[in-house]
Structures are given as structure tokens and as C-alpha cells.
Amino acid sequence: MPLNSQICPNDNPLLTEERTKATFDTNQMAAVIYEGHKFAERRREITRKIAEIPDLHDTVDPAFMSREEKIENSARKSYHLTKHLDKIADKANPAEMAHVTNEVIGCEGNPLALHASMFMPSLIALASDEQKSKWLTRAINREIIGTYAQTEMGHGTNLRKLETTATFDKSAQEFVLHSPTTTSLKWWPGNLGKSTCYAIVAATLFIDGKNYGPHNFMVQLRDEKTYVPLKGITVGDIGPKMAYNATDNGFLGFDHHRILRENMLSKHSQVLADGTYVKPKHAKVGYATMVHVRAHMVTHQGQFIAYATTIAIRYSVVRKQGEIQEGKGEVKILDYQTQQHRLFPMLARSFAFIFTGVETRKLYYRVLQELDKGKVSNLADLHAVTSGLKSVVTYQAGQAIEQARMSCGGHGYSKASNIPEIYGVAIGGATYEGENMVMLLQCARYLMKAAHEARNGQPLSPLVQYLTRKYERVSRIGTSTNQDYSAHLSAFEHISRKQIFKAADRLEKLVKDGNSRQEAWNKNGVELNRAARLHTRYFIALCFYEAVAQIADSACRVVLQDLLHLHLDYELLDMAGYLLQDDYLSSHQIDWLKDDMYRLLAKIRPNAVSLVDSFEFSDRELRSVLGRRDGHVYENLYKWAKASELNRDDPKKSLYDANSSTYQWTCSANDCFCVNGTQNGTKPCLEEDAPWKDGCYDWNNVLDDPQKYPNKWANNWMTVDLCKLHFENNRIYTYFTVSEKTCYLSNTSYLDKKENEDWDWDCQVTCPGDNNQRCGKKNSRAFVYKYDSGNPDYMCICHPMYTGDDCESLKTNPCLDDPPICQNNGTCSYDWVTYKHTCKCDSDYKGENCEYPKQCMKTTCKNGGTCVEKDDGSFDCECLNYYHGDYGEEISRCEYDKPCGDHGTCSDGPYSGIDPEFNWSADSI
Ligand SMILES: Cc1cc2nc3c(=O)[nH]c(=O)nc-3n(C[C@H](O)[C@H](O)[C@H](O)COP(=O)(O)OP(=O)(O)OC[C@H]3O[C@@H](n4cnc5c(N)ncnc54)[C@H](O)[C@@H]3O)c2cc1C
């Protein structure tokens, strides 16, 4: 029984060969990574369930989508996810929800991303119990969707200078929110642009003209049903970014917008009715949301590296290039030591971050519980740890992912690898939730305080107790006393301690030299940040060390000890400059570290694929052709490239136009192009002569080889007209179809489908008669077919998501149109299943889009008739007996007077007015 559970028949044998070498059970390793078998199994279950729900899948690789399509696609999946969520996962379990999001949405973002990661955690951390009962339950049930809006165009880091104001109006018991300048516009909040109707807004609080600094307010931005922005609110999208392009990061401005006093989040600070301000117990207590996200970022960044290294390591055993020994054949690129050196330390880093993430979250929840009981003493520890980690982890994750990308050569640069996307998303983390340099400085502030306390013999937090520990003057690394990793960890401790005191001494010196404290701080910034980095790298090393020591499964522990060891060697070598200072480490010991690292690279090599397999990322989650579980990279890379928009028409007219000086055409027997403005050198090239408006096709070859393909005429671009010509020349067929390049003549029944029959929308199976397994214009968009001989037009049956003559456009949510599609204050709602909107009209309007004023008034229908409004703008009068006419204004004398009795035939004459002249004839009195 192989120890690697990812082995499947028909996989690329190069990958299977690697998997059979595992020295540990990948299921056991997955339990180590996912904190127990229970959650590892839940992940598998969730992955299986998602695989069975087509609504949750991408129909086209988002790499080929425009930004708008990405956002729509993400919204579509989020909508269906909400519908199916109860069947798939426990929505109150953040780990399950994170896995669901990774599988279904991916890392590019979704309309609910900030709702889950910032809005709800902010409510939990900052709202009073009363406020939670008002908003939190609705938020959990997604009745309201929100985001967190802090950053402004002009200020991000320096919160004290936020320009958005919240001024308390005592008489109205309201706050007035206002954006006085362009730079005060909120800028960047995720999902603010289009997706959310609420935001927690950070604004500077003013009471009676006094500035109380930034506070958080719950603000409704849009109507909950129509999503139309409320009065006094301007909101929109900030445009495309380096990554996260499925997210609508937005801007927001207020024009004296009023909210209730109760909308200031008041768990920690309040404004009473009389304008009295109640201070929070601890100045930093309001930053809990930021800390929450930072605590989770460590795990997420570890996972980003895990994605990238999984892709790169799998690909590196499928890819063969060059020989190590001449004549012995090409080798897998993972056999090169340089490739191992690029990838294995990064793989070790992902484990280091994942284990550190677990510890950090434990610390976070412990401090949060203490805060609830009013204990704030450990908040500074948490703030320092998460600030340092956030910076080191995002920076090192960027390095690691970039290494993985480069290790895949040219294919790593292609979006088919998905590494560019992972990189773009991961490095966003260096900026959001506190810019990295600034965060390091915050960590350094804590360390400088600790250094001062250590020197004065004051008690220290466990996190910095090493500052006073007895230390060794010379490292034991590489000596006979170096039995385990204790010499490595001592080295981390040594350089961190040294740098912290060095930065503290330099700071004091700068002050003594006459600089103010602030000036000295700034002039010492780089040294301070170095101290914060070293301290944090030591913290990570310790977390990794302690996690590995606790692993029960011995086979897993042994291989993770190798990774830990590699991590420690690699990190120390990276910091060799510090180690060499004061001869703590000799150059001989540096060489020892290098040799030790090379030994470990070779030792880890056989387990490399099984280690990344243990993350158990599904292909859906990885979204990478290079990192496919089955290792069938090349054929799928080709298939992926063929899906490119640019391959839909050949040649591409816009490029053709750009290359030629005119819009004219020249057609020869086998080709079609425009040279010198003439066709065949004689007739001027006129656009109307172009056989196909997006390009050319080969007239002669179209009718090629009817024996070989009795009912198929293929090879070149096929216009409907041309296909029709074949059809008319081959009258034995009943139908003709144009799909992509190909013309089909047939009598088969599939062409006979009616519009309301079930169509194979996503074309996972071969579309009848279509060799490319593609339907219509874009994969899975439409089935283009031509029906019956009499009708000269083709028609596309569009998937409900698409619209246009050729199903070429993704439908957008019309409720977001500007001007609003529902006119005259109608309320718009959009059905994500049918992709149709409905308007609920104001009482005075009617029509599909509330475009018509209602016609019926009390007096509209005469003589007791009932007026009935019609959707096309008109109305009907339902008349009482004997009455007729558009308004019920006419009476039928034949019916009313019965002049012909019961047996005679009576006919009324032409009517006019309510007192009509009438004729009647009695032909059988
Ligand atoms: C992908 C992404 C998503 C985001 N999502 C949100 C969101 O949902 N909600 C939200 O409110 N915001 C969001 N933001 C904004 C983000 O929080 C800010 O960009 C971030 O806080 C940095 O602020 P800034 O842009 O003003 O940079 P600045 O503060 O202007 O930084 C620019 C440079 O100045 C340096 N600098 C600034 N101050 C100091 C200092 N005191 N000492 C030393 N150096 C300094 C920095 O180190 C940096 O190098 C997002 C940003 C990104 C990129």
C-alpha cells in the first residue's frame, strides 16, 4: 500500500515515480498540517461536495476574463455558494469557510470577502451587545453585506490625520459624516465599490468642536434592496489593480450624511446623549480588527507559499531539461541542486508560517478573552507579535513565491501556472492591514521598551525574556556539542538580542547628541526595523521548532525535522552578516552550515512531491496547469492556450488593421490580405468585399474533401452565408449548423432541438458534431445552430448568463445600471438564477421598468366600469352589463331596451359619446 494517497492510474508516470518514494503517510501529514484528522477529513468532504455542484465552478478560466466578467463570475459563484452553503460546510466555522472560499472563489477576491474578514470581526470586536443584536445576526445571515472603510486617498498609515469627520449634533442626537476634501475620500476598502450596502467607517470624532480622534461608525451606504446609494453618499470602484481584480475596492465620500448616535460602535468608547465622551479602557483597544486579520495573515501567507511550491515542485519532476552527466539522458529539473535550493527552503518556510499561524491565533483568542474581562496587559505583546509577523511573513512570502515562479522557467510567467496571481495577491499583504515598515517600527517600539526594562531589572513578558538570559559568546554550531537545534536557536536568539540592544543604544546616543526623541527615532529607523525583523524571525523559528517537537507520528516528525533543520540553516545563512559580527560564528562554521544545508536538500529530495501532496490542494483550488495533480502538463497547457480570446478568430482584424495602412482587402485563391489597396492587384479593396468581417477564409478549401467528411465541411472560417451555400448545393441534408469554424450539414436530430430543451451549457462532454468540444462563440456560452432550410438566419441559444446576438456579452446586474433601470423610484431586484430583473413600482407607476404613469383614475371608466392597468402603458375598462367602448361610455340599446324582444335579432349602430345615437334593425319582429 503506497504511503502517498494521491497516486492514481493514468497519471504522468514521472509524478507517480516520485510519489512511490514517500517515507511517510501523506494522510498523517495532512492531519499535522490541518491540526488533526477531523479537519483534514472535513476538507476532503467539502472538496468532494463542491466538485458535485456545477454552479460553483468556473465555466471559463478567469485568466481569460475581463475584470467585469471576473467580478460577475465571482458574484455568481458567491450567490450559488450562499444557496448551497448549508449542505457544504458549517458557516460558523472560519476554517471550513476559508477552505470553501479557496475552493470556489480562489484568491482573487469575491463580493463577500471583506464582509467575512473585516466587517463581521469588527462588529464582534467593537460593537456593544445591543449593537451586535441589531446587526451581527443579520450580517451572519447575509441579510446585510458590509466592509471596513478606514484608508483615505490622502491618509492610510497615519490614522490620526483621517479627514472624514463625524460631528455630534446633540439636538438631533445624530452624527454628521462629512468628507471635506478630495483627499478625504475613503479609498481602497475591499468590496466597497459595488458589493456592499453597509460599512464600518473610521472617522475623526468631533464633539462641541473638540477632536476625539478616529472612531468607528456603522453606516448604511446603499438601499438594502436596490443597492442605490443613499442621499449624501458617493460610492464607486477605484479601478484595476496589480491583483485582486475580482474585488471591487472602492471610494466613498459623505456630504453631511446623518446617522444615529447609536451607530457609533460603542463597546469600548461611547458618546452619551448629553455629548459626554466615555474613553476606552486602553488606547489601542479599538485596533482589535486589524490585529485579528494580522493574526490570520500568517497562516494565509503560509498557504500562498504552499500553493506556489506545490505547483513548482510537481512541475519540476514533470519537466526534464538538460543532462547532469553527458549521455545519460535529460534529468528532471528537480534533480538540479540549484532547483532544490530554490524550492525546498521555501517549502520549509510555508510549514514554518503555518505552524506559527496556529500559535498566533491561540495568542489572539486568549488576549481577546482577557479583553472581554477587562484585562489589557497582554494586548501590547499581541500587537508587537502580530505587527512583526505581518511584515516578515508577507515580505518572505513574496520572496518565496517569486522563487517558485522563476523555478518554473517561462511557463511560470504564464497565467497558466497561476503563480503570477498568487504572487500579486500575496504581496498585497505587505501594504494592507498596516504597511510593513510601519508595522516593524511598532514592533520595535515594544522591543525598545523591553530593552529598557531588561536593563533596569524590571519583569519582562515571556516573549522577550531572552533579553536577560545568559548567553554564549561563541556559537556551538558545527561543533561536537551541536546535537540538536539548540545551537541554531541560540544563534537566532543571540543576533536578535544583540540587535535590539544595539538599536536601543543608538537611539539613546542620538538623543544625547541633541536630537529630540522623535528625530532620534526617525534617524534610527533602519536599525529599529532590523531589530524587529530578527526578533520576529526568531519567534517563527521557535514556533516551528515547538510544533515539530509535538508531532506524534514518528515518520512525519522525522521528515519535518529535516525541513525545520533546513529552515534554520537557510535563515541563519541569510543572516550571516549578523552572525559573523564579534566572531560569534566563524567563517568555518558558515561553511559547515552550507554543507549541512546541501546534505538536507538531497535528503528531502525523495519526499518533496509527497510533502506538497500532503497539503491536499485540489486542482480546483490550485487553478494551475503546471501544478495539476495528474501531472499531465503539456497537453493541458496547449489546451489552455487554445482557449485564449486571441485564438477565436484568425487573423484578428484589429491587429490586421494595425499592421496595414488601409481598411481594404486583397483576396487570392488561398489567402486573403490587403496589399497596396487592391484586390488581386486590380480591384480596389473595399470593406464590403471582405468575405468575413473579422478576417478572411480560404474560399477554395471550404468545399474540401466531401468523401472524407460526408456531412462536415471544415478547415477554415465559415460564414453562415457560406455554410448556407453548401447546404443549398447538398439538398439531401435537412439542416445546417455553424459552430466555431465548422459548417455541419446533417439530418440528425440534435439540430432539431427547441429553444426550451435542456442544453449542455458547460460542454464538459463533447458537443455533438463538434471536434473541439466547444460550443459556440466561447466555451460553454452558447450553442450556435442553424435550423431548417427556409430560414436564412442563424441563431444562438444563449446560456442565461450571456446575452447578445452571438452570446458574446456577460449579463451584468441591471439593477446596478446608472441611470437606474427601474424608473420613477421603482425598486429593482435581480434573480441570479434566471438572470432577470424585476421592478417593483411606486404606487403611481407601472410597466416592466416602471416607465409608465398609471392611467386609471376614479373617473376614467364610466358607468361603473372597473379600470385595469396594463403593463404596456395602456389600460382596459371592464364594463358593466350593457356598456361598451374604451371608457364604458356607450350603452347597448339592444341589450338594455331589448327592442326586438327575446327572439328578434337586434344590432346597435355606430356609437358616439355617452348618450349615443343608435340604430337598430328589427328583421324578425
Ligand atoms: C490590496 C489592498 C487592499 C486594501 N484593503 C483595504 C480595506 O479593505 N480597507 C481599508 O480601509 N484600506 C484598505 N487598503 C489600504 C491599506 O490599508 C493602506 O494602503 C495601508 O494602510 C498603507 O497606507 P497608505 O496607502 O496611505 O501608505 P502610506 O502610509 O502613504 O505609505 C507609503 C510609504 O510611506 C512609508 N511611511 C508612511 N508612514 C510612515 C512612518 N510613520 N514611518 C516610516 N515610514 C512611513 C511607508 O513605509 C511606505 O513606504 C488596502 C490596500 C491594498 C493594497
Side-chain angles (χ1 to χ4, degrees):
M1 179 83 177
L3 289 168
N4 186 323
S5 61
Q6 304 266 343
I7 296 175
C8 293
N10 304 325
D11 283 353
N12 187 325
L14 295 171
L15 206 46
T16 307
E17 179 184 302
E18 295 293 326
R19 288 178 169 142
T20 53
K21 292 184 204 159
T23 63
F24 63 92
D25 181 339
T26 54
N27 285 339
Q28 292 290 346
M29 188 63 89
V32 170
I33 296 169
Y34 297 113
E35 298 173 62
H37 283 288
K38 197 169 158 214
F39 183 58
E41 188 43 48
R42 273 300 283 156
R43 281 184 90 260
R44 291 175 201 130
E45 231 176 84
I46 289 169
T47 301
R48 278 193 298 272
K49 285 182 183 164
I50 290 170
E52 285 161 10
I53 305 174
D55 281 343
L56 303 181
H57 306 170
D58 290 319
T59 50
V60 188
D61 186 334
F64 294 116
M65 291 181 185
S66 69
R67 180 151 179 257
E68 199 179 0
E69 286 171 334
K70 278 184 184 185
I71 289 177
E72 286 289 333
N73 183 45
S74 183
R76 175 188 64 80
K77 287 190 292 182
S78 300
Y79 165 78
H80 287 292
L81 187 55
T82 307
K83 262 193 347 188
H84 293 287
L85 196 54
D86 288 336
K87 282 184 284 177
I88 300 172
D90 171 7
K91 61 182 174 215
N93 181 328
E96 289 195 11
M97 286 306 292
H99 180 53
V100 169
T101 309
N102 292 338
E103 279 269 347
V104 177
I105 309 286
C107 55
E108 275 202 277
N110 70 85
L112 301 176
L114 269 281
H115 181 74
S117 67
M118 291 292 285
F119 182 67
M120 289 205 291
S122 300
L123 281 179
I124 292 166
L126 305 174
S128 66
D129 289 343
E130 202 179 321
Q131 290 173 324
K132 277 182 201 156
S133 63
K134 187 169 172 194
W135 296 311
L136 190 58
T137 318
R138 294 193 72 205
I140 291 170
N141 293 331
R142 300 186 183 183
E143 289 163 31
I144 56 172
I145 306 295
T147 183
Y148 182 78
Q150 179 174 292
T151 308
E152 293 174 358
M153 189 194 272
H155 284 96
T157 297
N158 190 3
L159 287 184
R160 272 184 245 151
K161 288 288 174 199
L162 288 184
E163 292 177 80
T164 306
T165 52
T167 307
F168 185 53
D169 175 351
K170 210 182 305 173
S171 60
Q173 290 291 298
E174 288 173 342
F175 292 104
V176 183
L177 294 175
H178 189 56
S179 316
T181 58
T182 306
T183 49
S184 70
L185 286 172
K186 293 289 170 194
W187 205 266
W188 270 112
N191 305 135
L192 174 65
K194 293 280 165 194
S195 317
T196 50
C197 56
Y198 281 80
I200 291 172
V201 174
T204 302
L205 172 65
F206 281 90
I207 308 171
D208 293 333
K210 186 173 170 199
N211 181 339
Y212 287 85
H215 284 72
N216 289 299
F217 300 84
M218 174 75 159
V219 186
Q220 181 173 357
L221 308 175
R222 299 166 177 273
D223 180 273
E224 282 181 21
K225 292 211 170 64
T226 62
Y227 268 57
V228 173
L230 302 189
K231 196 163 164 261
I233 284 178
T234 308
V235 61
D237 173 75
I238 62 166
K241 297 137 299 189
M242 180 167 176
Y244 276 124
N245 281 310
T247 305
D248 46 330
N249 292 76
F251 62 79
L252 167 68
F254 298 104
D255 181 6
H256 299 94
H257 180 73
R258 285 178 170 266
I259 55 171
L260 297 175
R261 181 172 65 90
E262 291 78 41
N263 282 29
M264 181 174 125
L265 296 187
S266 57
K267 182 169 173 181
H268 303 294
S269 50
Q270 289 127 42
V271 175
L272 305 182
D274 63 358
T276 306
Y277 176 73
V278 182
K279 278 204 308 196
K281 287 198 188 109
H282 189 283
K284 294 271 187 317
V285 90
Y287 299 144
T289 317
M290 289 296 212
V291 176
H292 167 267
V293 179
R294 280 176 214 142
H296 284 78
M297 277 173 85
V298 185
T299 309
H300 292 159
Q301 294 281 332
Q303 183 150 352
F304 287 140
I305 307 177
Y307 284 158
T309 48
T310 301
I311 294 164
I313 288 176
R314 283 184 180 163
Y315 174 68
S316 295
V317 298
V318 168
R319 180 79 166 177
K320 286 189 166 189
Q321 185 102 241
E323 295 180 332
I324 291 178
Q325 293 188 60
E326 213 179 309
K328 291 261 168 85
E330 285 204 299
V331 296
K332 295 173 178 168
I333 55 174
L334 198 61
D335 289 331
Y336 292 114
Q337 190 191 51
T338 46
Q339 188 80 352
Q340 295 164 14
H341 183 242
R342 250 181 174 167
L343 292 173
F344 296 169
M346 301 306 123
L347 176 61
R349 194 175 275 181
S350 77
F351 277 93
F353 290 179
I354 286 167
F355 292 137
T356 305
V358 175
E359 278 311 304
T360 315
R361 276 180 279 130
K362 277 190 204 154
L363 179 66
Y364 171 74
Y365 287 114
R366 203 175 66 226
V367 173
L368 209 63
Q369 275 177 356
E370 291 173 0
L371 278 179
D372 270 345
K373 292 179 194 144
K375 182 178 170 195
V376 293
S377 53
N378 290 323
L379 190 59
D381 280 1
L382 177 69
H383 182 63
V385 166
T386 53
S387 304
L389 277 175
K390 187 261 167 202
S391 310
V392 169
V393 157
T394 51
Y395 176 72
Q396 291 202 337
Q399 282 181 327
I401 299 163
E402 177 60 356
Q403 283 294 336
R405 184 194 69 71
M406 290 189 290
S407 79
C408 296
H411 298 323
Y413 197 72
S414 162
K415 287 209 169 186
S417 74
N418 200 30
I419 300 182
E421 198 59 58
I422 297 168
Y423 178 72
V425 167
I427 61 161
T431 304
Y432 63 71
E433 306 315 325
E435 201 282 326
N436 271 4
M437 292 297 126
V438 180
M439 287 295 101
L440 284 172
L441 287 171
Q442 298 210 2
C443 177
R445 200 171 286 283
Y446 167 91
L447 294 175
M448 292 305 100
K449 187 164 171 271
H452 180 76
E453 287 165 351
R455 280 186 163 148
N456 290 303
Q458 288 169 261
L460 293 171
S461 142
L463 292 172
V464 281
Q465 260 167 18
Y466 68 90
L467 291 180
T468 53
R469 206 177 290 155
K470 196 161 173 278
Y471 58 92
E472 52 197 19
R473 293 221 157 267
V474 176
S475 169
R476 286 178 290 119
I477 284 178
T479 66
S480 54
T481 51
N482 180 34
Q483 296 301 325
D484 51 14
Y485 318 107
S486 62
H488 287 70
L489 293 172
S490 295
F492 275 84
E493 182 179 305
H494 174 80
I495 54 176
S496 176
R497 178 175 41 230
K498 202 165 169 50
Q499 180 63 26
I500 290 170
F501 283 122
K502 207 172 182 178
D505 291 344
R506 195 164 182 276
L507 194 62
E508 288 315 311
K509 184 168 181 311
L510 284 163
V511 174
K512 275 195 195 129
D513 288 350
N515 293 287
S516 71
R517 280 249 151 228
Q518 285 93 340
E519 278 171 338
W521 184 263
N522 184 41
K523 288 181 181 170
N524 203 30
V526 176
E527 291 300 317
L528 288 165
N529 277 2
R530 284 186 175 148
R533 270 202 207 99
L534 293 181
H535 168 76
T536 306
R537 287 167 90 166
Y538 176 35
F539 180 80
I540 294 169
L542 276 178
C543 289
F544 196 178
Y545 169 75
E546 278 159 19
V548 171
Q550 285 164 24
I551 293 168
D553 182 282
S554 59
C556 289
R557 194 173 57 249
V558 167
V559 70
L560 284 181
Q561 277 169 344
D562 288 339
L563 274 190
L564 165 65
H565 204 155
L566 178 66
H567 177 76
L568 300 179
D569 283 352
Y570 187 88
E571 282 278 280
L572 289 179
L573 284 167
D574 193 51
M575 300 184 289
Y578 295 101
L579 290 164
L580 289 167
Q581 283 175 11
D582 303 332
D583 296 328
Y584 175 71
L585 210 73
S586 66
S587 61
H588 171 74
Q589 284 171 303
I590 295 282
D591 288 342
W592 185 91
L593 274 176
K594 285 181 185 164
D595 286 338
D596 196 42
M597 184 175 68
Y598 304 143
R599 175 186 66 81
L600 286 163
L601 294 179
K603 192 165 176 221
I604 290 163
R605 165 72 183 83
N607 272 321
V609 168
S610 296
L611 274 165
V612 296
D613 283 348
S614 304
F615 291 119
E616 297 190 348
F617 298 135
S618 69
D619 284 344
R620 174 168 302 103
E621 181 169 6
L622 222 43
R623 295 168 168 82
S624 169
V625 179
L626 303 195
R628 290 170 65 94
R629 191 209 54 76
D630 65 9
H632 292 305
V633 171
Y634 294 125
E635 54 275 51
N636 283 295
L637 195 57
Y638 185 38
K639 203 167 158 188
W640 185 90
K642 283 200 282 186
S644 164
E645 281 285 341
L646 287 180
N647 295 330
R648 303 238 177 274
D649 47 359
D650 195 13
K652 182 124 190 97
K653 184 162 185 319
S654 51
L655 299 180
Y656 177 85
D657 287 346
N659 292 340
S660 64
S661 54
T662 70
Y663 277 87
Q664 296 168 325
W665 299 88
T666 288
C667 302
S668 70
N670 293 311
D671 219 338
C672 176
F673 47 89
C674 192
V675 180
N676 301 331
T678 56
Q679 295 181 34
N680 295 328
T682 50
K683 191 180 167 204
C685 287
L686 302 173
E687 196 174 356
E688 60 261 31
D689 289 340
W692 174 258
K693 76 179 164 56
D694 287 323
C696 301
Y697 56 81
D698 181 344
W699 288 90
N700 289 344
N701 290 336
V702 167
L703 296 168
D704 205 15
D705 210 355
Q707 277 81 26
K708 205 162 155 200
Y709 306 106
N711 61 352
K712 177 178 163 192
W713 307 86
N715 290 341
N716 285 284
W717 282 106
M718 180 62 64
T719 65
V720 171
D721 286 345
L722 204 57
C723 191
K724 188 179 167 222
L725 191 70
H726 299 319
F727 169 72
E728 284 170 356
N729 290 339
N730 290 273
R731 295 316 299 234
I732 51 168
Y733 296 109
T734 325
Y735 302 102
F736 74 92
T737 301
V738 181
S739 181
E740 295 248 313
K741 293 179 176 185
T742 310
C743 173
Y744 299 95
L745 306 184
S746 75
N747 294 314
T748 51
S749 60
Y750 78 86
L751 292 168
D752 216 7
K753 281 196 174 198
K754 301 288 181 298
E755 197 168 344
N756 56 1
E757 282 183 52
D758 276 348
W759 292 88
D760 173 25
W761 295 120
D762 59 12
C763 297
Q764 296 300 316
V765 295
T766 311
C767 287
D770 188 332
N771 284 344
N772 292 328
Q773 301 193 10
R774 303 179 64 76
C775 292
K777 230 191 152 199
K778 255 195 176 176
N779 196 13
S780 65
R781 284 192 177 182
F783 194 88
V784 182
Y785 81 110
K786 175 80 185 174
Y787 60 102
D788 99 56
S789 53
N791 189 336
D793 292 323
Y794 75 104
M795 63 182 284
C796 295
I797 309 289
C798 299
H799 181 283
M801 265 172 76
Y802 293 93
T803 183
D805 287 349
D806 293 318
C807 308
E808 73 282 9
S809 312
L810 248 181
K811 271 192 193 164
T812 50
N813 178 353
C815 292
L816 304 179
D817 284 357
D818 187 19
I821 190 159
C822 298
Q823 299 169 32
N824 300 304
N825 291 330
T827 308
C828 185
S829 59
Y830 189 54
D831 185 333
W832 285 99
V833 176
T834 58
Y835 299 90
K836 286 187 176 144
H837 79 281
T838 40
C839 294
K840 195 166 168 229
C841 304
D842 194 88
S843 56
D844 292 338
Y845 291 91
K846 63 178 181 176
E848 198 184 337
N849 295 323
C850 309
E851 61 274 52
Y852 305 115
K854 281 191 176 165
Q855 305 278 328
C856 294
M857 290 188 292
K858 269 192 183 154
T859 52
T860 305
C861 297
K862 312 298 177 194
N863 301 311
T866 307
C867 185
V868 180
E869 297 282 357
K870 286 171 63 181
D871 268 351
D872 62 1
S874 64
F875 67 92
D876 265 348
C877 283
E878 286 176 358
C879 303
L880 291 180
N881 290 343
Y882 323 126
Y883 292 100
H884 296 275
D886 290 346
Y887 301 90
E889 74 281 22
E890 297 147 357
I891 188 164
S892 162
R893 293 289 171 190
C894 288
E895 289 168 23
Y896 188 72
D897 296 336
K898 292 212 171 163
C900 310
D902 286 339
H903 304 292
T905 305
C906 178
S907 67
D908 288 318
Y911 305 114
S912 68
I914 50 170
D915 188 17
E917 289 291 334
F918 63 93
N919 296 322
W920 52 272
S921 64
D923 46 344
S924 62
I925 300 175

